[in-house]
Amino acid sequence: MTDWTTLRRVAAEAMARAYAPYSGYPVGAALECADGSVIGGCNVENASFPAGICAERAAVAAAVSTGHRQFRRLALCTTGAQPAAPCGVCRQVLMEFAPTLDIVSFTPGGAEARWSLGDLLPAPFVFRPSSHGAA
Ligand code: THU
């Protein structure tokens, strides 16, 4: 299993590549996949604000696009005084692939927080077509 040091390094490197000219809030994420590979992602903002994507979902998209669908751990790197918790949309997206994900969020200044994804999203939306009347 990859150590947290590697995950944190990849998250910090991803944060350095963030494109966040509108918020000025760069975010880096690193996902550890079931085979031990580590894949990073950063937030990518857009002049049309809702078109931007969070670092966590960028990492999920990169991972799934390269054949990874199971994740064990996530490291998140942000600046500022407090470590950031993943936003609600990212929690739901992470839940799709990693219901037991362990998360560490940290800042370069040394602040740190830990959660399990289940703690952050105890009641995810689950789509069951049969229960919605679909054929
Ligand atoms: N952001 C993330 O990358 N991840 C989150 O979980 C919350 C927010 C980004 C989106 C936007 O580029 C900036 O942080 C400010 O909201």
Side-chain angles (χ1 to χ4, degrees), residues 19-20 23 25 27 42-45 53-56 76 84-87 90:
Y19 178 72
S23 72
Y25 189 70
V27 184
C42 62
N43 53 336
V44 181
E45 298 185 348
I53 188 168
C54 292
E56 300 93 315
L76 202 56
C87 80
C90 289

Side-chain angles (χ1 to χ4, degrees), residues 77-106:
C77 185
T78 55
T79 56
Q82 300 297 326
C87 80
V89 173
C90 289
R91 295 179 195 193
Q92 178 73 32
V93 169
L94 290 164
M95 184 61 76
E96 182 85 12
F97 299 99
T100 62
L101 193 71
D102 285 323
I103 301 169
V104 165
S105 183
F106 68 100

Side-chain angles (χ1 to χ4, degrees), residues 50-69:
I53 188 168
C54 292
E56 300 93 315
R57 278 178 288 143
V60 169
V64 173
S65 300
T66 51
H68 304 280
R69 292 184 178 180

Side-chain angles (χ1 to χ4, degrees), residues 2-75:
T2 312
D3 59 27
W4 280 109
T5 308
T6 300
L7 275 172
R8 291 165 68 121
R9 178 179 53 76
V10 173
E13 289 170 354
M15 185 181 76
R17 292 191 291 268
Y19 178 72
Y22 301 103
S23 72
Y25 189 70
V27 184
L31 273 175
E32 181 190 58
C33 306
D35 69 354
S37 51
V38 176
I39 296 182
C42 62
N43 53 336
V44 181
E45 298 185 348
N46 189 272
S48 176
F49 292 180
I53 188 168
C54 292
E56 300 93 315
R57 278 178 288 143
V60 169
V64 173
S65 300
T66 51
H68 304 280
R69 292 184 178 180
Q70 289 181 298
F71 312 125
R72 296 194 291 231
R73 295 186 292 175
L74 170 76

